[in-house]
Amino acid sequence: MSTAEATTLDRVVDTARYPLSEPDSAEGQDVVSRARRELAAVGCTVLPDFVRPSLREILREECAAIAPRAHSDVETVNVYNIAVDSELPEEHPGRRTFQRGNAFVARDRVPAKSLISRLYSHPDFQRFVARCFGLPKLHELADPLSGLVLNVVAPGMEHPWHFDTNEFTVSMLTQQAHSGGDFEYCPNIRSARDENFDDVRAVLDGRGERLVRRLPLRPGDLQLFKGRYALHRVSPVGGPAARHSAIFAYSERPGVIGSVARTRQLFGRVLPEHLESEGRAVRGDRLLD
């Protein structure tokens, strides 16, 4: 790592608290150990003030400036992101539908010099995230649109209950909503072998409060989350300001590119790379989504 890279990382991240370039130090091992414990127990961990508090306003301003570049769409969805007209049993939770306001700024519209872009591509940051998840290595997505994105939830909109396709998610709130916009999740509500439709249906019906956790997040906090097995949502946003969050997408395998259908849904467009890679995706389980 060059001196310039080290200086940049030190300016952005509170490296006294999170010594990314010294993973074997006592402090570095403590941070990783805590993250692994919480991920194993509840599938989520938050590293508060990961970005220096003095840079919070710059973080917000940079992301607010590109938020108008988001592709926005409102669609009817279910928690499994499968077709809402799929043939399912009467009591199946996939029959419940919600309105989702999609708004994502694609990676090719995120400035390379922005704080979130510098973090996403930094080797020490990638190694740190991999260690927290207990993985030998992570790769940036080869996808030119979905590797690093900004999610925008406008006032009156929400990101309703859903499961992630990826086993893990890395994100950072960059702008809070004036009200609402809370992150809520049900840790380990399903497994690779059991969809647990009964508990999922209970949450969707408002009968599963005992299963739901609410997580307070502030701009600059780093969130590591296992969203493949945890039902989760962002509650409706109120007030005049949108909720913004950066999503850092990595994979355990190199060369990962999103499907044509999903890419068009999220960004309103596809590129030649998506067309060329269509049909090559390999799933690691047999879950509905």
Side-chain angles (χ1 to χ4, degrees), residues 6-26:
T7 303
T8 298
L9 188 67
D10 185 66
R11 289 181 59 190
V12 174
V13 177
D14 184 350
T15 50
R17 190 172 182 180
Y18 305 110
L20 273 60
S21 60
E22 300 175 356
D24 295 324
S25 65

Side-chain angles (χ1 to χ4, degrees), residues 6 42 44 51 67 223 254 265 276:
V42 295
C44 185
V51 169
Q223 180 187 13
Q265 180 188 60
E276 292 168 5

Side-chain angles (χ1 to χ4, degrees), residues 39 41-44 79-80 160-169 183-192 194-195 200 203 211-213 223-233 287 289:
L39 285 165
V42 295
C44 185
V79 298
Y80 303 104
W161 291 112
H162 65 285
F163 292 102
D164 289 344
T165 301
N166 294 338
E167 287 195 25
F168 57 87
T169 304
F183 183 79
E184 302 177 350
Y185 72 109
C186 307
N188 301 315
I189 196 171
R190 70 175 182 177
S191 70
D194 183 5
E195 291 276 13
V200 172
V203 173
L211 301 168
V212 179
R213 292 180 177 235
Q223 180 187 13
L224 307 181
F225 180 57
K226 291 185 176 181
R228 182 73 177 139
Y229 308 120
L231 186 66
H232 55 287
R233 74 168 184 166
L287 293 173
D289 173 82

Side-chain angles (χ1 to χ4, degrees), residues 26-76:
E27 295 83 357
Q29 291 184 40
D30 286 346
V31 170
V32 170
S33 294
R34 179 178 69 83
R36 288 184 178 181
R37 285 195 305 270
E38 293 181 354
L39 285 165
V42 295
C44 185
T45 188
V46 175
L47 283 62
D49 293 330
F50 190 81
V51 169
R52 293 183 179 277
S54 60
L55 294 180
R56 252 185 227 158
E57 183 58 20
I58 293 175
L59 178 70
R60 189 200 67 77
E61 289 176 351
E62 287 183 347
C63 292
I66 63 173
R69 303 176 187 176
H71 169 69
S72 300
D73 190 18
V74 177
E75 58 184 332
T76 302

